[in-house]
Amino acid sequence: MALPLEGVKILDLSTMLPGPFCSMILADFGAEVIKVEAVKGGDLFRGGVPKIGDTGGAFFQVNRNKKSITLNLKSDEGKEIFYKLAKDADVVLEQYRPGVVKKLGVDYETIKAINPKIVYCSLSGYGQTGPYRLTSGHDLNYISYAGILGLTARKGQTPTIPGVQIADIGGGALYAAIGILIALMGVKRNGVGQYVDTSMLDGAVSWLPVLANDYFVKGVSPKAAENILNGQNACYEVYETKDGRYISIGAIEPHLWANFCDAIGKEEFKAYQRDLTKQDEMFAYLRDMFKSKTQAEWIEKLTGVDCCWAPVKNLEEVFADPQVVARDMVYEMTDPEGTYGSVKMIGSAVKLSETPARKELFPPRKGEHNTELLKSIGYSDEQIAELQKNGVI
C-alpha cells in the first residue's frame, strides 16, 4: 500500500531543529523531502557535538528519509536550479528571518509565479508580521514571551528552563506540519496553493488554554505555583526519594487521589485535596514520606495503584523502558555505506494502522543526491561537473 504522502515533493531550506523535525514527519510518511543545503557548511546540526563520525549526532535524529542537494542560492545558476526543482514541487519550507528569502530570490511570490499550486511554509520565531518579526530568538525567548516560562517555577523562585524545546517543536515544527497538510488539502480541493505563516511564539501561546481560561474568567494573571497543574496542590507534584531520585504524582481526579491516600494510609487527606489551607501540611508529610524509601521501593509499593504516578526516569532508562520499546519509539538505522554504522533513532509518534512510518533512507550526506536530482531536471554530467567547479553546488 502506498504511503499517504507518496508523490508529495518538498524543498526544505531549513536547518537545525524546527524545520527539519517538521519535514521528517512528512518524509516518514512518503513525502520526497529534498534538503537544500548551503555549499559551505550545510545544515548547522552537521557541525554539532557529540558527533557520530564527522557529523553531529543531532543531525541524524531529524533527517531520516530525506535527500540532500547543495546549492549556492546567491548565484544565478543556483537560483535557476531551485526554480526548476520548484516547478513541480508541492511544498517549500524555509526557516530564515523574514525578508531573507526575498533577498535570495526564492520567496513565496517568486515561487508562486513559477508554480501557482505551491504550498510555501515560512517557520520563524515571531511570524512574518508584527513588531517582533525581525527580532532574533530561541526557544527560551519564545516561551518567555508566551508566559510559559514565567509559570514554570516554584513559588518565589527563578523560572526553570524546560529540558526540551517547547516552542521549537510543539509550537513550531508540529504546527508547520499541520499547516502544510491543511494547505495541501486546499490545493486538492481548490486547485491553488497558499502561504503558511508559522510562528513559534503563536504556537507557544496556543498551549495556554487552561491558564488563559483562569485569566479570561477571573481577570487576574495566574502566577507560578498558584494552579493545581503547576505546583499549588500536593496531589500534583514531584517528590524526591531517599536515593535522590523522584516520583511524580498526578492524582487530580478525586477518586485517583483517594486511591493514593488509601495506598499510603492517610484516609484523612482525601477530603483535603483542594483545600488550600491544608496543602502545606500535606506537602510536608508527603515530602518526608517519599524520602523514607528509594525510588525502586516506591515503584514496588505503587505498582498496581491507580493514582497517576510515575518514576522520573533518565534517558538511559527511557530508551530501555518496555512501553517505549513496545511502541517502537527507539530503533536503529544502518548506514548502507558503512561509515556511520548503526545509529539509534527516536521513532515516529504517529502510528497508522495500514501505512506506518517508513524506515528507508538513512540521513543523507551533504549533497549526496546532487547528481540524481540535477539529472532529473535535465542537467548532463558535464554540466554538473561545471556547476561543481564553479561552486554552484
Side-chain angles (χ1 to χ4, degrees), residues 136-155:
S136 62
H138 280 298
D139 187 86
L140 185 65
N141 310 122
Y142 311 141
I143 64 172
S144 296
Y145 273 116
I148 293 172
L149 188 64
L151 292 165
T152 308
R154 296 295 178 184
K155 194 166 187 176

Side-chain angles (χ1 to χ4, degrees), residues 13 43 79 129 159 231 233 246 256 260 304 306 345 368 393:
L13 291 160
D43 190 311
K79 288 184 180 63
T129 59
N233 296 63
Y246 297 91
L256 298 178
F260 175 70
D306 185 18
M345 303 272 179
E368 179 179 341
I393 62 172

